[in-house]
Amino acid sequence: MKVCIVGGVAGGATAAARMRRLNEQADILMFERGNYISFANCGLPYHISGTIQSREALLVQTPEAFHARYRIDVRTGNEVISIDRANKKIKIRRVATGELYEETYDKLLLSPGASPFIPPMQKDADAQLFTLRDIPDLDRIMAQLKDLPQQKALVIGGGFIGIEVAENLQERGIETHLVELGPQLLAPLDYEMASIIHSQMKSKGVRLHLGAAVKHLRQDSAELSSGETLDFGICISAVGVKPETGLAREAALSLGETGGILVDACMRTSDPDIFAVGDAVEVENSVTHRKGLVPLAGPANRQGRIAADNIMGLKSRYHDTQGTGILKVFDMTAAFTGISEKAAKRLGMNYEVIQLHPYHHASYYPGASQIHLKVLFEKVSGRLLGAQAVGTHGVDKRIDVLATAIRANLTIEDLEHLELSYAPPYGSAKDPVNVAGYIGSNIQDGLVQSITYDRISEITNHLVLNVCEPDEWKPDIPPIPNSINVPLPKLRNSLESLPKDRPLVVTCYAGLRGYLACRILSQSGFDHVYNLSGGYISYCHYIGR
Ligand code: FAD
């Protein structure tokens, strides 16, 4: 058995190591056109600020160590330039010399990754646009930062990498501007959740330019579509990636509808002897069952292992991708799994949303901080569809529990019954995930109707009943339109003064007292009562405050 692997980082190196563990006799050759294998792409942005001080710490494996441990024939500086499927051969170019040679294969695995997408713009000949994908990219950025003409940076793109790069430039003491074409950062989040990240970035000094694109890039300045001109000492583009499918396309392997290499659940391409994994392949979404590109390290590693299993005769299957992601934004964390409300809306799904703001551990134990949590589930069946969380502590744990719940096809009601670890420094006897289950079950059982702030205008002639204490409303934030205030303790004695012929949208600070008020009202002859999901806190996020 002779296996050739194209690409020596996440998917490729994982597959190589697994293959060796399964087969001590096989010839395994791993071709990498760069000089490094198995480096920590995900750690690259943190070297910019010095959080990861040593560049060498990013070089997780060397070709020599990988060979010593796994007896893999690692060929760095060797680019595979074509595949001859009929004769089961690949052609390789030695990058340093341009020399060409061939190797035969019994099985071929493609893990060529993705390359940065450069947005369309007018670019002067002397304008330098940096990207961050690998170690040479990082070296170029670090060299520029060493002798920066001015302590200002421009980052194009507000996704994961753009935010991480902006954070690390700002942490390095450089005035950083971030330009994002869309109306929000972090597209997998819904707007009101991303708006927490906007406030966080701004509070840390990053200048956001949302809904803007770079029209014209000059050597040290950029003209935006908004008309604004920004000066910079370095400009880094991070607007997303496109799958590296050149080799596959030229070898006439089938590509999927979204442009990635088409593979089955064994990670086998349209050629039974060629497998493909990682950023280059199209995957099925485990919630929507639609195809898409999800360039993340976890899927690439899992797929590498599964391809290796199948190449070596084990029958393992890849279980789709649910797009679970997490991001540090200074001292905050944003994470998500499954689909967003935007996506559910776009797909015409019949969903319900809950928003809550519980403390990450018992509120009486020092250091408790709020998690802003949003959970999406299917109406009627209760099947969990997605979750998003933003906060300073405990976000990772909740999203990982919810990611597991989605993977296990649990319902919103099932969340009530999860027995999660608890002691005051770590959580609450009712963990935020359990509380999401309670809220969802109340909706499913018809005990309360819930509505999100962005939809209350759909309720004709509604009145907003705010059951907060008067001093809870922030004076600098406009009150919700059409609202009156009756604090919850006074509600039972004020029922006579409330209109029964108008729908009531009830709100409090975070949603709990709103629910209590809804229960009082609906049992007192008020037929059209809605609890405002996430209360005043979510309202503030919707209006960007
Ligand atoms: P890669 O790891 O990119 O490996 C592909 C390799 O193939 C490359 O080294 C390339 O040189 C080589 N290659 C391509 N074509 C050829 C050829 N013809 N011949 C020889 N070699 C070839 N994901 C997360 O889940 N969490 C994170 O926090 C995260 N942070 C990231 C931060 C940055 C800055 C970057 C760039 C990525 C980050 N990712 C993160 C994404 C993650 O790194 C990728 O999803 C993952 O590396 C994909 O694995 P892969 O094997 O498909 O591609």
Side-chain angles (χ1 to χ4, degrees):
M1 169 67 89
K2 179 174 173 186
V3 185
C4 291
I5 301 173
V6 181
V9 189
T14 298
R18 173 73 171 167
M19 281 187 230
R20 173 58 73 225
R21 290 194 293 270
L22 295 176
N23 187 333
E24 191 56 26
Q25 275 71 45
D27 280 339
I28 305 172
L29 285 69
M30 189 167 83
F31 299 90
E32 168 54 56
R33 69 178 167 211
N35 290 329
Y36 305 94
I37 61 158
S38 203
F39 61 87
N41 352 32
C42 309
L44 299 179
Y46 300 99
H47 186 54
I48 292 176
S49 60
T51 303
I52 296 177
Q53 279 185 2
S54 153
R55 173 186 179 277
E56 275 51 53
L58 298 165
L59 307 175
V60 181
Q61 268 287 1
T62 62
E64 297 73 30
F66 204 63
H67 180 262
R69 176 173 288 198
Y70 295 110
R71 287 289 181 277
I72 306 286
D73 181 351
V74 179
R75 303 200 189 162
T76 50
N78 279 258
E79 182 177 19
V80 177
I81 56 168
S82 64
I83 306 169
D84 173 357
R85 287 170 51 194
N87 296 303
K88 296 180 76 171
K89 278 190 204 160
I90 50 174
K91 189 179 278 179
I92 303 116
R93 184 175 66 92
R94 287 192 220 281
V95 176
T97 60
E99 183 194 339
L100 301 178
Y101 67 101
E102 289 183 340
E103 286 287 351
T104 57
Y105 64 83
D106 293 312
K107 302 283 179 200
L108 177 65
L109 172 68
L110 306 177
S111 189
S115 52
F117 177 79
I118 304 295
M121 67 178 89
Q122 188 185 343
K123 189 165 160 277
D124 287 357
D126 59 356
Q128 231 188 327
L129 186 60
F130 293 83
T131 54
L132 182 58
R133 179 77 198 174
D134 52 24
I135 298 284
D137 283 346
L138 180 67
D139 290 343
R140 279 187 283 273
I141 289 173
M142 296 309 286
Q144 177 76 2
L145 290 176
K146 217 167 149 206
D147 294 311
L148 211 54
Q150 51 175 326
Q151 291 296 310
K152 281 187 183 175
L154 173 59
V155 177
I156 310 175
F160 275 102
I161 298 177
I163 293 175
E164 287 175 355
V165 166
E167 171 188 337
N168 283 282
L169 286 165
Q170 188 73 27
E171 296 269 45
R172 200 183 155 101
I174 298 171
E175 178 187 310
T176 303
H177 292 254
L178 193 158
V179 175
E180 162 58 48
L181 182 62
Q184 66 167 81
L185 301 178
L186 265 189
L189 295 185
D190 289 315
Y191 178 81
E192 78 281 8
M193 300 299 285
S195 107
I196 311 168
I197 301 300
H198 300 167
S199 306
Q200 167 76 347
M201 296 284 279
K202 287 184 205 160
S203 77
K204 299 293 178 185
V206 177
R207 276 78 158 174
L208 296 185
H209 304 267
L210 300 176
V214 172
K215 254 177 57 184
H216 188 168
L217 192 74
R218 300 193 175 86
Q219 192 201 5
D220 55 7
S221 71
E223 194 187 313
L224 305 189
S225 52
S226 57
E228 208 174 341
T229 297
L230 301 174
D231 298 339
F232 58 77
I234 185 168
C235 178
I236 303 178
S237 174
V239 298
V241 292
K242 50 182 192 314
E244 286 255 11
T245 52
L247 265 183
R249 194 181 314 108
E250 278 165 30
L253 295 174
S254 300
L255 300 186
E257 59 205 61
T258 58
I261 304 170
L262 195 69
V263 287
D264 64 14
C266 301
M267 307 313 298
R268 192 180 276 114
T269 66
S270 51
D271 182 323
D273 293 316
I274 304 181
F275 292 71
V277 301
D279 290 0
V281 305
E282 186 177 271
V283 288
E284 186 168 308
N285 183 289
S286 50
V287 175
T288 63
H289 303 296
R290 290 183 179 236
K291 300 285 187 175
L293 299 166
V294 185
L296 289 172
N301 278 281
R302 294 202 307 280
Q303 292 162 5
R305 182 181 168 98
I306 283 161
D309 283 358
N310 284 286
I311 288 170
M312 292 305 172
L314 289 181
K315 300 257 168 289
S316 39
R317 297 280 182 279
Y318 184 64
H319 290 203
D320 309 332
T321 300
Q322 65 193 79
T324 306
I326 189 160
L327 175 74
K328 170 173 136 30
V329 190
F330 297 92
D331 51 0
M332 222 173 217
T333 303
F336 47 85
T337 184
I339 60 168
S340 64
E341 184 179 4
K342 278 184 297 208
K345 231 181 239 170
R346 207 170 43 238
L347 296 171
M349 296 176 89
N350 192 15
Y351 65 88
E352 189 74 60
V353 171
I354 56 173
Q355 290 155 319
L356 59 159
H357 312 282
Y359 283 99
H360 87 285
H361 64 43
S363 56
Y364 57 81
Y365 187 85
S369 71
Q370 268 178 323
I371 297 178
H372 306 291
L373 181 60
K374 175 171 184 173
V375 181
L376 228 72
F377 59 96
E378 214 165 43
K379 274 189 179 158
V380 186
S381 76
R383 177 173 76 110
L384 288 166
L385 301 174
Q388 302 163 39
V390 179
T392 49
H393 295 94
V395 165
D396 49 350
K397 157 166 145 171
R398 273 58 189 220
I399 284 296
D400 281 348
V401 170
L402 288 160
T404 309
I406 290 176
R407 178 60 62 166
N409 268 321
L410 298 190
T411 65
I412 187 78
E413 290 100 331
D414 289 327
L415 299 183
E416 281 187 52
H417 306 291
L418 297 183
E419 191 173 310
L420 303 171
S421 58
Y422 162 62
Y426 301 101
S428 302
K430 288 181 206 149
D431 188 87
V433 174
N434 298 132
V435 176
Y438 295 138
I439 297 173
S441 296
N442 288 337
I443 295 171
Q444 290 294 78
D445 292 342
L447 293 177
V448 66
Q449 291 192 86
S450 172
I451 186 142
T452 49
Y453 174 71
D454 57 335
R455 292 191 48 216
I456 58 174
S457 59
E458 293 169 18
I459 304 173
T460 314
N461 195 30
H462 70 265
L463 180 69
V464 175
L465 173 63
N466 165 15
V467 297
C468 284
E469 297 303 318
D471 59 356
E472 287 180 75
W473 224 245
K474 295 179 196 160
D476 59 327
I477 292 181
I480 300 179
N482 306 320
S483 59
I484 57 164
N485 180 219
V486 181
L488 182 66
K490 298 189 177 143
L491 182 63
R492 287 187 179 87
N493 295 332
S494 309
L495 295 175
E496 298 290 294
S497 65
L498 297 174
K500 284 200 163 136
D501 56 346
R502 289 181 74 177
L504 294 177
V505 175
V506 184
T507 185
C508 63
Y509 197 70
L512 173 62
R513 282 170 294 162
Y515 167 63
L516 303 178
C518 283
R519 292 301 301 147
I520 294 170
L521 291 163
S522 59
Q523 294 176 80
S524 309
F526 292 81
D527 293 332
H528 300 290
V529 181
Y530 302 83
N531 190 22
L532 185 67
S533 189
Y536 183 60
I537 301 178
S538 286
Y539 160 70
C540 291
H541 296 158
Y542 276 107
I543 64 166
R545 303 294 285 272

